[in-house]
Amino acid sequence: MSDFGMAVESGVRLLRSLPRRRPDVEEARRTAAAWAAERPGLSAQLVVDVRPGTPVVDYDLLLAHPEGGTVAVSAPPEDGVPWLVDHSTHWAAGGLVTVDDVHLSVAQALTMLRSLSRRDATPYEEIVDQCVILNELLDDDEPLTPGDLQAAADEFRRGRGLLDRASTLAWLEEVGMSGEMFETYISGIARRRRFRRRKESELGPGYLAAHRADFDRVRAVWVVSADRYAASSPQDLLVLLPELREARVIVGERLARELPAELRGAPAGAVVGPCESEEGYLSGTVLERRPAEDDAETLAAAGRAAFAEWLAGRRRQARIEWHWS
């Protein structure tokens, strides 16, 4: 047998010896790195396939062939489930994107999209964001509580209007999910949801301290119109309304960060505008401004803002590779 053939045989033994649970991935990487160090001519690389929503992982070993090119070695354990049935295809055949250490297939992404709902992001951005979170969960083997699972299931069903058993079963039939698949799907959502809640709680107080004015409670009124207009008082805004084309009036209490940019820092009684905005010309006034408090609602809002900032930072740092070919 050639040296390369013996290396392949040894690589198969290596793959079959590696632990297949998420918490043990780093141990598997160290074992594979030690094996590769003894065979520098192979430029061996261990590829870890992490399945979202399950603690099980799979491995491939990539070896440089002495005559050029790369050989991929796969050795799934004999657990009674054939490789093709277990994966549908090889991990790379239907691969959509790799983000750091998470590899996502087209099928997994389509399933994931059912639970995404941010209207301010493209599907590409949402998928990457979820992969970033999955990277944080690679070593998370903490069991989910019944409360975790119930909260995730309730949140998911409410978001899709599945308010009773009949509508939920109809949805499962429509998307082709069995009850067992739905449980696994919800488990993945619950794990990501738990991570997010904990991260928000961790980051929220510091973010509020650093951006306190953004969380002032502000009562304001503003008008957006296709016409340019000027007002010096709240009364002027109301008087001008009948003369304005496509005018919209918005009245209410918001966090300062949720107001139009022109009003966010304005003191009570101040009138701003007219300012050109994406929706037209804007004028408005701040009726009341109350300093931010450290109550649960404000801390929760700060946590959400902090998490969004943390996620954007991780997204910028991530190694992202889309597999379109």
Side-chain angles (χ1 to χ4, degrees), residues 199-209 298-304 306-307:
K199 198 71 175 177
E200 289 176 352
S201 179
E202 171 194 334
L203 299 175
Y207 192 89
L208 176 59
T298 303
L299 283 168
R304 291 191 294 272
F307 184 84

Side-chain angles (χ1 to χ4, degrees), residues 2-255:
S2 67
D3 291 342
F4 185 77
M6 288 188 289
V8 171
E9 185 176 314
S10 176
V12 170
R13 290 195 298 271
L14 168 71
L15 289 174
R16 293 176 65 82
S17 72
L18 297 178
R20 297 185 66 231
R21 312 296 282 185
R22 289 192 188 197
D24 301 320
V25 167
E26 287 307 312
E27 176 190 340
R29 291 188 190 280
R30 288 193 295 271
T31 300
W35 184 91
E38 296 175 357
R39 301 162 179 82
L42 295 175
S43 300
Q45 289 183 281
L46 183 70
V47 177
V48 182
D49 180 25
V50 181
R51 309 183 198 175
T54 171
V56 177
V57 299
D58 295 293
Y59 305 102
D60 276 5
L61 189 63
L62 306 183
L63 307 174
H65 194 280
E67 297 178 5
T70 301
V71 174
V73 181
S74 300
E78 293 185 4
D79 56 3
V81 181
W83 173 266
L84 289 177
V85 173
D86 198 24
H87 284 252
S88 296
T89 61
H90 183 270
W91 71 269
L96 176 66
V97 65
T98 298
V99 180
D100 291 335
D101 294 323
V102 167
H103 308 283
L104 202 69
S105 71
V106 173
Q108 290 165 339
L110 288 174
T111 301
M112 181 181 288
L113 281 171
R114 295 190 182 112
S115 64
L116 305 180
S117 59
R118 282 174 48 204
R119 297 181 181 178
D120 61 338
T122 67
Y124 303 106
E125 291 170 328
E126 291 205 74
I127 287 170
V128 170
D129 284 351
Q130 293 303 310
C131 287
V132 166
I133 295 173
L134 289 172
N135 269 287
E136 299 292 325
L137 297 175
L138 291 179
D139 297 326
D140 178 16
D141 59 348
E142 179 185 346
L144 292 164
T145 67
D148 291 331
L149 294 168
Q150 188 64 56
D154 290 346
E155 187 176 281
F156 175 81
R157 286 199 293 261
R158 281 196 302 270
R160 282 167 181 59
L162 307 176
L163 303 181
D164 54 33
R165 176 180 172 81
S167 60
T168 301
L169 291 175
W171 182 85
L172 290 175
E173 183 176 358
E174 180 183 351
V175 301
M177 267 194 186
S178 66
E180 183 178 351
M181 290 169 64
F182 184 64
E183 288 179 9
T184 300
Y185 176 52
I186 292 297
S187 294
I189 295 175
R191 200 167 291 277
R192 298 194 297 273
R193 183 180 185 276
R194 183 175 66 184
F195 170 80
R196 179 172 187 142
R197 295 292 185 272
R198 289 177 176 177
K199 198 71 175 177
E200 289 176 352
S201 179
E202 171 194 334
L203 299 175
Y207 192 89
L208 176 59
H211 304 84
R212 201 160 193 87
D214 289 348
F215 296 90
D216 288 350
R217 292 281 174 180
V218 180
R219 191 160 58 89
V221 55
W222 64 98
V223 177
V224 179
S225 169
D227 292 324
R228 185 181 181 89
Y229 58 93
S232 58
S233 69
Q235 291 75 19
D236 288 348
L237 291 174
L238 299 177
V239 171
L240 287 169
L241 277 178
E243 302 174 13
L244 301 176
R245 291 181 300 121
E246 303 174 20
R248 292 188 300 111
V249 182
I250 302 94
V251 183
E253 183 173 292
R254 307 275 197 284
L255 293 176

